Amino acid sequence: MVDNRGFLVTRSFTVGVPMMHRTGLYDFYEDKENNLYILNMPLGKKQASMILIMPYHLEPLERLEKLLTRKQVDTWLSKMENKAVAVSLPKISLEVSHNLQVNVSVAELGLTEAVDKSKADLSNISGKKDLYLSNVFHASALELDIEGNPYDTSIFGTEKLRNPKLFYVDHPFVFLVKDNKTNSILYIGRVVRPKGDKMRDEL
């Protein structure tokens, strides 16, 4: 089900977004110490997962981002329980691109020789030692949409979906995409202000 709802950007600024709703069985954990909800949704026949991390209430994401270590993420995942969850997510598309500075960003990743004209050896590409990495452009995109994994219809009409936990994503959150075979984090992002028209104040 999709309908239009408000997404709280700040306490005084709300935008209207299409909100997707679905109740199902998901891995879920409530971190009461840090006031966070964590939801793990399967992607691509469970080959990958999207981990959504949302503060209890509207707040800047800096506090949550400081908690985001690999050890903390693994701790959250180890404490998850598979349970009924009523999920509401904004239907959005994300795109980001960066021109990386090869002498700083790329070198910090360990590609020091590839960016050095005198040391680079990309002769397997051209047959000569005249190529080197002079510029790196990084682009990525993600879409949260109603298309995706089909419903497990066997759970409907059973006790499994009784009294679901509520995971209502109507304010800024962080998400990670994890490869389940290698356990590698492939993507980390945040949603702070989806595109949408400002909603009038109802108060």
Side-chain angles (χ1 to χ4, degrees):
M1 186 179 87
V2 180
D3 59 11
N4 289 320
R5 300 284 179 100
F7 188 96
L8 307 169
V9 179
T10 67
R11 295 192 187 283
S12 60
F13 186 68
T14 301
V15 295
V17 296
M19 190 76 80
M20 306 177 291
H21 311 279
R22 177 180 177 182
T23 299
L25 294 177
Y26 298 102
D27 291 337
F28 179 84
Y29 176 63
E30 181 178 352
D31 183 343
K32 294 179 180 178
E33 180 182 346
N34 292 304
N35 298 329
L36 300 169
Y37 296 115
I38 301 101
L39 182 77
N40 190 2
M41 299 183 76
L43 299 174
K45 298 180 181 179
K46 299 185 178 179
Q47 294 175 335
S49 297
M50 174 176 279
I51 302 159
L52 300 145
I53 309 166
M54 182 180 67
Y56 282 0
H57 307 291
L58 175 64
E59 65 174 79
L61 291 176
E62 285 78 11
R63 179 184 70 87
L64 169 54
E65 290 171 347
K66 288 177 182 176
L67 292 172
L68 277 181
T69 64
R70 184 56 201 246
K71 182 179 179 181
Q72 181 62 70
V73 171
D74 289 341
T75 298
W76 286 328
L77 293 175
S78 71
K79 293 182 177 181
M80 288 191 156
E81 294 180 17
N82 192 256
K83 58 179 62 179
V85 184
V87 180
S88 294
L89 280 174
K91 184 181 178 199
I92 53 176
S93 296
L94 308 168
E95 292 184 20
V96 64
S97 59
H98 300 283
N99 269 315
L100 301 179
Q101 296 179 346
V102 294
N103 58 343
V104 180
S105 304
V106 178
E108 287 177 355
L109 294 173
L111 294 172
T112 53
E113 291 189 7
V115 300
D116 187 330
K117 188 174 184 178
S118 64
K119 294 181 181 178
D121 184 359
L122 302 175
S123 56
N124 284 341
I125 296 173
S126 67
K128 302 176 184 178
K129 283 190 174 184
D130 59 351
L131 293 180
Y132 70 100
L133 205 56
S134 63
N135 190 31
V136 175
F137 180 77
H138 173 77
S140 57
L142 183 99
E143 186 174 3
L144 299 179
D145 202 344
I146 56 173
E147 302 297 327
N149 295 331
Y151 282 106
D152 177 5
T153 54
S154 66
I155 63 176
F156 292 105
T158 69
E159 294 292 312
K160 292 181 179 180
L161 296 184
R162 187 177 292 272
N163 299 320
K165 296 292 289 186
L166 184 63
F167 191 81
Y168 190 80
V169 184
D170 69 343
H171 56 274
F173 64 98
V174 169
F175 64 91
L176 298 83
V177 176
K178 182 176 76 71
D179 178 80
N180 290 332
K181 185 175 181 180
T182 64
N183 212 29
S184 301
I185 302 296
L186 306 176
Y187 198 105
I188 299 176
R190 63 180 178 169
V191 175
V192 177
R193 192 217 183 280
K195 286 185 180 177
D197 294 330
K198 183 177 179 181
M199 298 183 75
R200 63 187 177 88
D201 193 348
E202 298 290 344
L203 298 177

